[in-house]
Amino acid sequence: MDKSLKILLLSSLLLSLFSPSIAQTCGTYQFSSNKQFATCTDLPYLTSFLHWTYHPSNGTVDLAYRHAGVDTSAWVAWALNLDNARMVGSQTLVALHNTTGAAHAYTSDVSSYSTTLAQSSLSFNVPSLSAEYVNNVMIIYATLVLPSGRTSFNQVWQNGLVSGGSPQAHSLTGDNLRSTGTVDFATGQTSSTGGGGSLQRRRNVHGVLNAVSWGTLMPIGAIIARYLKVFKSADPAWFYLHVTCQSSAYIVGVAGWATGLKLGSDSSGIEHTTHRNIGITLFCLGTLQVFALLLRPKKDHKFRLYWNIYHWTVGYVAIILSIVNVFEGLDILSPSKNWKRAYIGVIIFLGSNAVMLEAYTWYIVLKRKKTGSDKYPNGANGHTHSTWPQQTV
């Protein structure tokens, strides 16, 4: 085969492979209506694009918002927020398929997080508004009269499902929480605020505090109490290590719990019921453990057995709920997969060590039982300890 023909075939193959991705950029897209815009930008989330032409003479802007990869059961929206970067207060352009199956666009003033995106007027004039659906791409065309002579605004864009002809709530995880930014129609400058805004930073801090405290330190404290006490040389050091680890977990965990309460108060209308309820339960169980430590009977007291059972039960329930809630939080934050993989690695590491220590502990216990040396003196607080691997403090 001629060399030039091979090159031509290879070029055609590469073009066919990469042409879809090339089409999904603002600079190469051709509108079916042959409309032209002076400026465009690839929005960083939700496969969205913004095209516009600013007219300084009359303070208007002609724009097209494109949202790719949506089907006929979805709604899309793009908005300007004149006051802040949040959803509430957004002056929104919405597009969906109406009951006749045609693409339909309208305006909606979002006044709360529980909005249903009902049609309403905006705080500024929109002389022209229409929608077009082409090849799984919804496009909103609009002309805006920019308010107060401004050209720089916060922008928000979203998508969700339509049910019964009405827009339903959008996803509260991942890119749907990051799709905010700024746009200056005069200079063409845009920026993304969704990845590093104050609210997102607080979510990240909340997640890290709780993953370290409830999800890591608390299981480590339980491992210390259950397995180190069987070694005579570790007594009473295991007791103080256990108390230190669990106290640190509780203090850091309360800080994480408090940031969660603050996040809830700052996110009216957004609810993560399961995550919240488990978090409240963990705080109550952790507080009970702290008070139980203050009321701990002496080792020879007749109620000490019941206290041990209570302490063991509450502790392990708290650990199980902690791990479950860390994964609940990861699903809500939807960070990169490496974060979830890292925590899974921590859990596997702690679990595998617990299994090995469990086997070795029983080996030691049975060996001492066989030789008749199943008790040894000078335990924590000067009392005799059994070598059987039960978690008592």
PDB file of all heavy atoms in Angstrom, residues 10-11 71 77 81 85 128 132 171 188 192 242-243 257 268 290 294 373 383-384 391 393:
ATOM      1  N   LEU A  10      -4.815   6.574   8.243  1.00  0.00           N
ATOM      2  CA  LEU A  10      -4.555   6.765   9.669  1.00  0.00           C
ATOM      3  C   LEU A  10      -5.130   8.082  10.161  1.00  0.00           C
ATOM      4  O   LEU A  10      -5.739   8.159  11.236  1.00  0.00           O
ATOM      5  CB  LEU A  10      -3.056   6.719   9.932  1.00  0.00           C
ATOM      6  CG  LEU A  10      -2.615   6.877  11.402  1.00  0.00           C
ATOM      7  CD1 LEU A  10      -3.213   5.786  12.271  1.00  0.00           C
ATOM      8  CD2 LEU A  10      -1.087   6.863  11.503  1.00  0.00           C
ATOM      9  N   SER A  11      -4.997   9.114   9.375  1.00  0.00           N
ATOM     10  CA  SER A  11      -5.531  10.420   9.744  1.00  0.00           C
ATOM     11  C   SER A  11      -7.048  10.367   9.839  1.00  0.00           C
ATOM     12  O   SER A  11      -7.654  10.935  10.761  1.00  0.00           O
ATOM     13  CB  SER A  11      -5.108  11.485   8.727  1.00  0.00           C
ATOM     14  OG  SER A  11      -3.716  11.572   8.647  1.00  0.00           O
ATOM     15  N   ASP A  71     -30.771  13.634  28.160  1.00  0.00           N
ATOM     16  CA  ASP A  71     -31.840  13.068  27.345  1.00  0.00           C
ATOM     17  C   ASP A  71     -33.127  13.870  27.542  1.00  0.00           C
ATOM     18  O   ASP A  71     -33.142  14.902  28.227  1.00  0.00           O
ATOM     19  CB  ASP A  71     -32.056  11.586  27.659  1.00  0.00           C
ATOM     20  CG  ASP A  71     -32.363  11.337  29.137  1.00  0.00           C
ATOM     21  OD1 ASP A  71     -32.935  12.239  29.790  1.00  0.00           O
ATOM     22  OD2 ASP A  71     -32.037  10.250  29.639  1.00  0.00           O
ATOM     23  N   ALA A  77     -30.252  24.103  33.509  1.00  0.00           N
ATOM     24  CA  ALA A  77     -30.440  25.496  33.910  1.00  0.00           C
ATOM     25  C   ALA A  77     -29.102  26.210  33.985  1.00  0.00           C
ATOM     26  O   ALA A  77     -28.080  25.605  34.330  1.00  0.00           O
ATOM     27  CB  ALA A  77     -31.151  25.570  35.263  1.00  0.00           C
ATOM     28  N   ASN A  81     -26.260  35.031  39.575  1.00  0.00           N
ATOM     29  CA  ASN A  81     -26.619  35.426  40.931  1.00  0.00           C
ATOM     30  C   ASN A  81     -25.966  36.778  41.197  1.00  0.00           C
ATOM     31  O   ASN A  81     -24.741  36.901  41.175  1.00  0.00           O
ATOM     32  CB  ASN A  81     -26.153  34.390  41.958  1.00  0.00           C
ATOM     33  CG  ASN A  81     -26.813  34.593  43.308  1.00  0.00           C
ATOM     34  OD1 ASN A  81     -26.903  35.714  43.799  1.00  0.00           O
ATOM     35  ND2 ASN A  81     -27.266  33.505  43.908  1.00  0.00           N
ATOM     36  N   ALA A  85     -22.545  33.465  45.428  1.00  0.00           N
ATOM     37  CA  ALA A  85     -22.280  32.321  44.550  1.00  0.00           C
ATOM     38  C   ALA A  85     -23.149  31.124  44.881  1.00  0.00           C
ATOM     39  O   ALA A  85     -22.866  30.011  44.470  1.00  0.00           O
ATOM     40  CB  ALA A  85     -20.802  31.926  44.657  1.00  0.00           C
ATOM     41  N   SER A 128     -35.381  38.108  24.881  1.00  0.00           N
ATOM     42  CA  SER A 128     -35.461  36.966  23.970  1.00  0.00           C
ATOM     43  C   SER A 128     -35.039  35.696  24.703  1.00  0.00           C
ATOM     44  O   SER A 128     -34.028  35.696  25.424  1.00  0.00           O
ATOM     45  CB  SER A 128     -34.566  37.200  22.750  1.00  0.00           C
ATOM     46  OG  SER A 128     -34.503  36.043  21.941  1.00  0.00           O
ATOM     47  N   GLU A 132     -33.313  24.748  22.278  1.00  0.00           N
ATOM     48  CA  GLU A 132     -33.144  23.825  21.161  1.00  0.00           C
ATOM     49  C   GLU A 132     -32.497  22.546  21.691  1.00  0.00           C
ATOM     50  O   GLU A 132     -31.606  22.595  22.549  1.00  0.00           O
ATOM     51  CB  GLU A 132     -32.259  24.471  20.095  1.00  0.00           C
ATOM     52  CG  GLU A 132     -31.995  23.597  18.885  1.00  0.00           C
ATOM     53  CD  GLU A 132     -31.040  24.247  17.894  1.00  0.00           C
ATOM     54  OE1 GLU A 132     -30.136  24.993  18.344  1.00  0.00           O
ATOM     55  OE2 GLU A 132     -31.193  24.017  16.686  1.00  0.00           O
ATOM     56  N   SER A 171     -28.957  16.440  41.799  1.00  0.00           N
ATOM     57  CA  SER A 171     -28.098  15.666  42.688  1.00  0.00           C
ATOM     58  C   SER A 171     -27.378  16.595  43.669  1.00  0.00           C
ATOM     59  O   SER A 171     -27.034  17.734  43.324  1.00  0.00           O
ATOM     60  CB  SER A 171     -27.069  14.884  41.866  1.00  0.00           C
ATOM     61  OG  SER A 171     -26.100  14.282  42.701  1.00  0.00           O
ATOM     62  N   GLY A 188     -14.418  38.756  29.095  1.00  0.00           N
ATOM     63  CA  GLY A 188     -14.358  37.352  28.694  1.00  0.00           C
ATOM     64  C   GLY A 188     -13.730  36.446  29.726  1.00  0.00           C
ATOM     65  O   GLY A 188     -13.537  35.254  29.483  1.00  0.00           O
ATOM     66  N   SER A 192     -13.829  29.336  38.201  1.00  0.00           N
ATOM     67  CA  SER A 192     -14.641  28.353  38.911  1.00  0.00           C
ATOM     68  C   SER A 192     -14.453  28.536  40.406  1.00  0.00           C
ATOM     69  O   SER A 192     -13.333  28.651  40.895  1.00  0.00           O
ATOM     70  CB  SER A 192     -14.235  26.935  38.509  1.00  0.00           C
ATOM     71  OG  SER A 192     -14.870  25.981  39.336  1.00  0.00           O
ATOM     72  N   HIS A 242      -5.146   3.529  75.563  1.00  0.00           N
ATOM     73  CA  HIS A 242      -6.554   3.394  75.174  1.00  0.00           C
ATOM     74  C   HIS A 242      -7.336   4.665  75.505  1.00  0.00           C
ATOM     75  O   HIS A 242      -8.064   5.213  74.658  1.00  0.00           O
ATOM     76  CB  HIS A 242      -7.157   2.182  75.885  1.00  0.00           C
ATOM     77  CG  HIS A 242      -8.647   2.072  75.713  1.00  0.00           C
ATOM     78  ND1 HIS A 242      -9.236   1.738  74.518  1.00  0.00           N
ATOM     79  CD2 HIS A 242      -9.667   2.267  76.610  1.00  0.00           C
ATOM     80  CE1 HIS A 242     -10.561   1.721  74.669  1.00  0.00           C
ATOM     81  NE2 HIS A 242     -10.829   2.047  75.926  1.00  0.00           N
ATOM     82  N   VAL A 243      -7.172   5.151  76.722  1.00  0.00           N
ATOM     83  CA  VAL A 243      -7.886   6.352  77.145  1.00  0.00           C
ATOM     84  C   VAL A 243      -7.456   7.562  76.319  1.00  0.00           C
ATOM     85  O   VAL A 243      -8.284   8.376  75.894  1.00  0.00           O
ATOM     86  CB  VAL A 243      -7.657   6.613  78.656  1.00  0.00           C
ATOM     87  CG1 VAL A 243      -8.226   7.965  79.056  1.00  0.00           C
ATOM     88  CG2 VAL A 243      -8.280   5.498  79.488  1.00  0.00           C
ATOM     89  N   TRP A 257     -18.305  17.034  64.398  1.00  0.00           N
ATOM     90  CA  TRP A 257     -19.755  17.062  64.557  1.00  0.00           C
ATOM     91  C   TRP A 257     -20.266  18.499  64.546  1.00  0.00           C
ATOM     92  O   TRP A 257     -21.293  18.807  63.921  1.00  0.00           O
ATOM     93  CB  TRP A 257     -20.118  16.358  65.860  1.00  0.00           C
ATOM     94  CG  TRP A 257     -21.582  16.291  66.153  1.00  0.00           C
ATOM     95  CD1 TRP A 257     -22.508  15.515  65.520  1.00  0.00           C
ATOM     96  CD2 TRP A 257     -22.285  17.008  67.170  1.00  0.00           C
ATOM     97  NE1 TRP A 257     -23.750  15.707  66.074  1.00  0.00           N
ATOM     98  CE2 TRP A 257     -23.642  16.623  67.093  1.00  0.00           C
ATOM     99  CE3 TRP A 257     -21.902  17.934  68.143  1.00  0.00           C
ATOM    100  CZ2 TRP A 257     -24.612  17.126  67.960  1.00  0.00           C
ATOM    101  CZ3 TRP A 257     -22.868  18.438  69.000  1.00  0.00           C
ATOM    102  CH2 TRP A 257     -24.207  18.044  68.902  1.00  0.00           C
ATOM    103  N   SER A 268     -29.687  25.432  54.122  1.00  0.00           N
ATOM    104  CA  SER A 268     -31.126  25.247  54.304  1.00  0.00           C
ATOM    105  C   SER A 268     -31.742  24.587  53.079  1.00  0.00           C
ATOM    106  O   SER A 268     -31.508  25.014  51.944  1.00  0.00           O
ATOM    107  CB  SER A 268     -31.796  26.597  54.564  1.00  0.00           C
ATOM    108  OG  SER A 268     -33.195  26.446  54.650  1.00  0.00           O
ATOM    109  N   VAL A 290     -17.789   8.728  77.643  1.00  0.00           N
ATOM    110  CA  VAL A 290     -16.995   9.630  78.483  1.00  0.00           C
ATOM    111  C   VAL A 290     -17.536   9.642  79.908  1.00  0.00           C
ATOM    112  O   VAL A 290     -16.790   9.516  80.886  1.00  0.00           O
ATOM    113  CB  VAL A 290     -16.994  11.058  77.892  1.00  0.00           C
ATOM    114  CG1 VAL A 290     -16.365  12.042  78.877  1.00  0.00           C
ATOM    115  CG2 VAL A 290     -16.241  11.084  76.575  1.00  0.00           C
ATOM    116  N   LEU A 294     -16.085   8.069  83.840  1.00  0.00           N
ATOM    117  CA  LEU A 294     -16.059   8.765  85.125  1.00  0.00           C
ATOM    118  C   LEU A 294     -16.785   7.973  86.208  1.00  0.00           C
ATOM    119  O   LEU A 294     -16.494   8.128  87.397  1.00  0.00           O
ATOM    120  CB  LEU A 294     -16.705  10.154  84.981  1.00  0.00           C
ATOM    121  CG  LEU A 294     -16.035  11.104  83.971  1.00  0.00           C
ATOM    122  CD1 LEU A 294     -16.839  12.390  83.861  1.00  0.00           C
ATOM    123  CD2 LEU A 294     -14.599  11.398  84.392  1.00  0.00           C
ATOM    124  N   SER A 373      -1.163 -20.380  84.278  1.00  0.00           N
ATOM    125  CA  SER A 373      -0.761 -19.005  84.588  1.00  0.00           C
ATOM    126  C   SER A 373      -1.665 -18.018  83.863  1.00  0.00           C
ATOM    127  O   SER A 373      -1.225 -17.133  83.162  1.00  0.00           O
ATOM    128  CB  SER A 373       0.692 -18.758  84.164  1.00  0.00           C
ATOM    129  OG  SER A 373       0.839 -19.003  82.784  1.00  0.00           O
ATOM    130  N   HIS A 383      -4.804  -3.929  90.221  1.00  0.00           N
ATOM    131  CA  HIS A 383      -5.683  -5.084  90.371  1.00  0.00           C
ATOM    132  C   HIS A 383      -5.260  -6.210  89.440  1.00  0.00           C
ATOM    133  O   HIS A 383      -4.656  -6.000  88.398  1.00  0.00           O
ATOM    134  CB  HIS A 383      -7.138  -4.685  90.053  1.00  0.00           C
ATOM    135  CG  HIS A 383      -7.718  -3.747  91.076  1.00  0.00           C
ATOM    136  ND1 HIS A 383      -8.110  -4.148  92.317  1.00  0.00           N
ATOM    137  CD2 HIS A 383      -7.941  -2.408  90.999  1.00  0.00           C
ATOM    138  CE1 HIS A 383      -8.585  -3.098  92.993  1.00  0.00           C
ATOM    139  NE2 HIS A 383      -8.491  -2.028  92.211  1.00  0.00           N
ATOM    140  N   THR A 384      -5.633  -7.426  89.837  1.00  0.00           N
ATOM    141  CA  THR A 384      -5.283  -8.603  89.051  1.00  0.00           C
ATOM    142  C   THR A 384      -6.091  -8.624  87.760  1.00  0.00           C
ATOM    143  O   THR A 384      -7.270  -8.318  87.750  1.00  0.00           O
ATOM    144  CB  THR A 384      -5.578  -9.879  89.858  1.00  0.00           C
ATOM    145  OG1 THR A 384      -4.804  -9.845  91.031  1.00  0.00           O
ATOM    146  CG2 THR A 384      -5.254 -11.112  89.045  1.00  0.00           C
ATOM    147  N   GLN A 391     -12.468  -6.882  76.308  1.00  0.00           N
ATOM    148  CA  GLN A 391     -12.150  -5.470  76.342  1.00  0.00           C
ATOM    149  C   GLN A 391     -12.716  -4.841  77.604  1.00  0.00           C
ATOM    150  O   GLN A 391     -13.882  -4.523  77.701  1.00  0.00           O
ATOM    151  CB  GLN A 391     -12.720  -4.747  75.114  1.00  0.00           C
ATOM    152  CG  GLN A 391     -12.328  -3.272  75.087  1.00  0.00           C
ATOM    153  CD  GLN A 391     -12.957  -2.583  73.925  1.00  0.00           C
ATOM    154  OE1 GLN A 391     -13.200  -3.175  72.901  1.00  0.00           O
ATOM    155  NE2 GLN A 391     -13.209  -1.277  74.065  1.00  0.00           N
ATOM    156  N   VAL A 393     -11.651  -1.814  80.732  1.00  0.00           N
ATOM    157  CA  VAL A 393     -10.708  -0.759  81.052  1.00  0.00           C
ATOM    158  C   VAL A 393     -10.895  -0.341  82.493  1.00  0.00           C
ATOM    159  O   VAL A 393     -11.902  -0.628  83.104  1.00  0.00           O
ATOM    160  CB  VAL A 393     -10.922   0.468  80.147  1.00  0.00           C
ATOM    161  CG1 VAL A 393     -10.616   0.122  78.720  1.00  0.00           C
ATOM    162  CG2 VAL A 393     -12.320   1.032  80.263  1.00  0.00           C
TER     163      VAL A 393
END
